[in-house]
Each structure stands twice: as C-alpha cells, then as structure tokens.
Amino acid sequence: MSSISAIHPMEAYARSVPILGVMGSFVAWLLLKWLLCRPSKALGFASQPPKTEPFQTPRPQPLNDFDPETNEPKLYRPFRRGPNFITMGIRKLNWDDWIEMDSYFMRYHEVKKAELEKDLDAHVKYVNNAVTRDACFEVYEELVKYLVQRYPKIFRLEGDTLHNCLTGEQFQYPARTPTEAMATSALLVQDDLVLMIENDDGQYHLDAAAVCLPGFWRLREKFRMSLDTLHFEAGVPHYATKLQKSMNRFFKALTPERPVERNNFFIQLDDGLHWSHRMGDQNGTEVASWATANSRGLSVDEIHFRSERQTLRRLPRSGAILFTVRTYFEPIPRIVKEPFVPGRLAEAIRNWDEIVSVYKGKSHWEDILLPYLDEQDRLQRESGVCDRQEERQFPY
C-alpha cells in the first residue's frame, strides 16, 4: 500500500486557493501595468497634453549704470526707399528691450501726469469682468518685475512700495484696483498701454487701456471696439484685402514666449505730443480726423515727425494681448539733419498710393514738406555727407 495518503478533491481545491490567488494577483498587476503604460489612443481615450509649468517672463539684463538724462531716444525712421508694401511689419522682440527709457522720460511723465490728473476717466478704462480686471493687475506686475530688474538705479521695490528714484514718487504694490494698476503703469513708462481681450464672439476687443499721448484720437471713441472695427473705423489702408486675415490669425496664434515689435510713422501739423490741436478740440465730441484738420498758415517749422514703436505680447496669466505704444516725436527740421533721411522720407511719401495718402493727410502738408525735403536732400549730397556715411537699415 502506498505511503502517500489520498487527498479528498475538496481538500485539494482548498489547498490550491492561496496559490491561485497569488497567481491571479500577479496577472492582474501585469494587466494593470500594461493598461497604464499603453498609449491612450490605443485605449480609445483622447490624448492629454503633458502638464507644463506656466510661462515665466524672462528677466532682462540689468543696466546698472543707466542714466536716462544722457541716454538719447532711439532714432526710429521707419520708412523705406522703393515701392510701398502694406504688411504688419512685425519683428521678433528681444526681452531685454521690452521697455525703452531715455532722456525724454521726464517730459513725457509730466504730460501724462497732467492728463491723468485733469481727467482720469478719459485716459484709463477697463471692462469690469474677471478676465479684464486680472489683466490690468497683470500689466502692472509685469512692468514692475521688468523695470526693477532692467533699471535698478531708477526703480526699487521695497515691501509693498515701489519707488521711482527719478521722480521721487512712491506707488502701492500690488495695486488695489484695476484703475490704479493701469494709471500707475502709465506713469512708470513713456508708453501708452492697450489691452486686447478675446470676447465671446471670438474677436479681440479693446477692453482696457491707459492712453495719455494718442495724438488725435480719444479712448472713449475706441473703447470696446473689436480689432476689425478699430481698423475699419480708422480707415487703415487696404485692411480688408491685405491685413485682416493675417492679423486675426496672428492674434489667435500669439503665445506668451514670442513677443514682437513694429514701427509706424505719421506727419503731424503741430507740436502737440498728447493732442494735435490742428486736428480738432481735445474735449470736443466730433471725431478728430484729417477731414477736420486745419492746415491754414502751416509752416515747415510746425510740422513734426511722429513715430510709434509698438510691442505686442500675450500676458501669461490672463491671456490678454498687451500693446505698448511708445511715441517718438521730433520737429521735421531736426530729423532732416540726419544723413539720408530727407531724401529717403521724400521717396517713401511719393510712393504712397492714393488710399495711403488720404489716410496720412498728405494733401494738408505735401506742398510745404516735400519741397523742403528735396532741398535738404540736395544740400546733403552737395556737402558730401552721404558719401562719408552708410545709410542705416529699416527701421532706423
């Protein structure tokens, strides 16, 4: 008789349960690991984008010895020889150069301060919703972070107080209200500030701004307008045919890490940095335009060259698009002393088509300005100054 005892079937099953349980757990673990590691598309789920850290604006290189009183404004001369092409004209922006500061700071600051004190509501507006309020605070925060790093001799943040060592002013930081955030931001820089925010209609609208140096438009006239309406209302040349589609695509695609800049220029009939009195009454109700301009008795000494340097960037937290608009403003008799400028400017003006000419008010000043530019160009060439120097490249 065998020494091995017979085992009842139920006893054999009971003894096998622990082993089967271990094997089952192991198989389940392998299956779970396979499911977790397998691509989500194979499982029929939508692919989830990887989590990324919020974009942080790069810190600029500090200008430790920067002295605004001796730092002359840049000579932006954004006009070319040859045919006039209608484009957005954007260029990549170096983060170090986001905000420019120069010897004109105090002049601009005093004008802006006076305008804000005279009528705050005329120059600072915002739509009272969560996104726009946040965007206003974000403008102030981004500017302060930049300025204290870029210009440490001038701007200093101590606790909840921002110091402007050039003007002696002190500002609350962070700001307590969106209006305070935008008004304070306006006083920190020489630029005007405009926020374009995407609305439920899918269009970007001018939903907040601090505008003190517009020249000849009023914020109340542009407030809440969409990107397209702003350009159509202003009569921007060839907008529908050459700019509208590309500009709307650009606004949709702009990301926080890819800021850009662009330049433009106008001819102004007087020396009004904040308001051109020859274009109409600043406090009036009639929309100022070349149709209302008064050029009677105009002399070349009154004519000014008005150029804008605009930067565009998407703010990382609110998603709003921030325009900074820095105006460079000089009398024509001053800029024509620069080599090549009178000849190149005259050539650029003559290459405008009729639509651009109307938009820029050419009929009001061409009979005075163009002969003057031609004469100054002739004198430069006869003096040999153009032979001794190389012509600068756009936008200088």
Side-chain angles (χ1 to χ4, degrees):
M1 189 174 179
S2 171
S3 62
I4 302 177
S5 304
I7 300 176
H8 191 277
M10 289 302 294
E11 183 183 354
Y13 172 76
R15 289 181 182 181
S16 69
V17 167
I19 298 173
L20 292 173
V22 171
M23 291 181 63
S25 298
F26 180 68
V27 171
W29 176 79
L30 287 175
L31 179 61
L32 179 61
K33 186 174 181 181
W34 177 78
L35 287 171
L36 291 174
C37 295
R38 196 173 181 191
S40 58
K41 186 182 290 186
L43 300 175
F45 300 124
S47 178
Q48 296 296 318
K51 290 184 178 180
T52 58
E53 292 296 320
F55 175 77
Q56 297 292 322
T57 304
R59 290 163 63 89
Q61 289 294 318
L63 298 176
N64 293 311
D65 298 323
F66 181 81
D67 182 358
E69 294 184 0
T70 59
N71 189 66
E72 292 300 311
K74 286 190 176 180
L75 301 180
Y76 288 111
R77 305 293 179 251
F79 41 84
R80 292 185 172 94
R81 296 189 184 277
N84 178 61
F85 297 105
I86 305 297
T87 67
M88 288 178 62
I90 56 174
R91 310 182 304 279
K92 180 181 178 181
L93 171 66
N94 185 325
W95 282 110
D96 286 351
D97 301 326
W98 179 36
I99 300 296
E100 295 179 353
M101 189 175 186
D102 53 51
S103 59
Y104 285 12
F105 179 86
M106 289 304 299
R107 175 191 172 196
Y108 282 53
H109 178 80
E110 292 306 313
V111 172
K112 294 174 86 171
K113 185 177 179 180
E115 288 297 300
L116 291 171
E117 290 175 350
K118 182 173 64 177
D119 191 345
L120 179 65
D121 186 59
H123 300 294
V124 177
K125 290 184 180 296
Y126 72 95
V127 177
N128 192 16
N129 60 42
V131 172
T132 310
R133 290 194 300 269
D134 185 45
C136 292
F137 289 122
E138 192 176 11
V139 170
Y140 186 33
E141 293 164 17
E142 289 287 315
L143 280 173
V144 170
K145 291 176 186 176
Y146 176 90
L147 294 171
V148 298
Q149 174 73 15
R150 184 63 166 168
Y151 305 111
K153 284 180 60 177
I154 300 168
F155 297 99
R156 188 175 73 254
L157 184 60
E158 295 179 345
D160 61 358
T161 303
L162 175 67
H163 300 264
N164 183 332
C165 301
L166 191 63
T167 65
E169 293 169 310
Q170 297 180 11
F171 302 102
Q172 171 74 30
Y173 182 82
R176 290 157 292 201
T177 67
T179 296
E180 181 182 83
M182 294 300 288
T184 303
S185 295
L187 292 174
L188 297 179
V189 296
Q190 291 163 256
D191 311 59
D192 280 333
L193 306 165
V194 173
L195 282 167
M196 302 293 293
I197 296 175
E198 189 172 16
N199 284 200
D200 291 340
D201 61 2
Q203 297 291 312
Y204 280 83
H205 291 251
L206 197 166
D207 279 358
V211 176
C212 301
L213 311 174
F216 52 88
W217 60 274
R218 305 176 186 91
L219 180 56
R220 68 170 184 266
E221 298 164 352
K222 311 289 186 182
F223 188 53
R224 299 305 316 275
M225 280 188 179
S226 70
L227 180 68
D228 287 342
T229 304
L230 284 167
H231 288 82
F232 284 128
E233 186 270 343
V236 174
H238 309 290
Y239 180 72
T241 56
K242 297 185 178 181
L243 292 174
Q244 185 178 11
K245 287 183 179 179
S246 59
M247 192 170 290
N248 278 279
R249 281 197 303 267
F250 170 79
F251 268 61
K252 295 279 188 181
L254 184 63
T255 57
E257 64 272 15
R258 297 182 180 275
V260 299
E261 62 180 328
R262 64 182 300 273
N263 296 80
N264 59 28
F265 78 94
F266 306 91
I267 302 300
Q268 186 168 315
L269 303 180
D270 53 51
D271 63 354
L273 173 61
H274 65 291
W275 183 262
S276 173
H277 59 267
R278 280 185 175 269
M279 298 295 283
D281 182 0
Q282 182 181 11
N283 300 314
T285 57
E286 185 177 27
V287 175
S289 70
W290 287 109
T292 64
N294 172 20
S295 55
R296 291 190 298 273
L298 183 68
S299 70
V300 74
D301 291 331
E302 294 177 87
I303 300 176
H304 277 61
F305 179 80
R306 188 181 187 102
S307 174
E308 290 180 348
R309 173 188 179 255
Q310 301 175 356
T311 75
L312 293 81
R313 55 171 294 199
R314 188 181 293 280
L315 297 176
R317 188 176 72 224
S318 65
I321 293 179
L322 170 63
F323 275 77
T324 67
V325 184
R326 166 65 198 280
T327 298
Y328 292 81
F329 196 59
E330 301 283 356
I332 282 290
R334 182 177 298 168
I335 75 165
V336 297
K337 296 177 181 177
E338 301 164 16
F340 301 101
V341 163
R344 199 171 86 215
L345 179 57
E347 183 175 336
I349 291 171
R350 289 190 169 103
N351 274 295
W352 293 345
D353 63 21
E354 183 61 26
I355 296 175
V356 175
S357 296
V358 171
Y359 174 69
K360 300 218 177 191
K362 182 179 174 182
S363 63
H364 288 272
W365 44 259
E366 64 177 325
D367 291 342
I368 299 169
L369 181 59
L370 286 175
Y372 177 73
L373 293 176
D374 292 339
E375 175 65 9
Q376 295 302 310
D377 180 51
R378 181 186 68 79
L379 293 173
Q380 281 192 359
R381 295 187 180 282
E382 288 181 354
S383 71
V385 66
C386 295
D387 298 329
R388 296 190 296 269
Q389 298 191 38
E390 190 170 318
E391 189 164 3
R392 304 179 78 189
Q393 296 301 309
F394 184 91
Y396 300 101

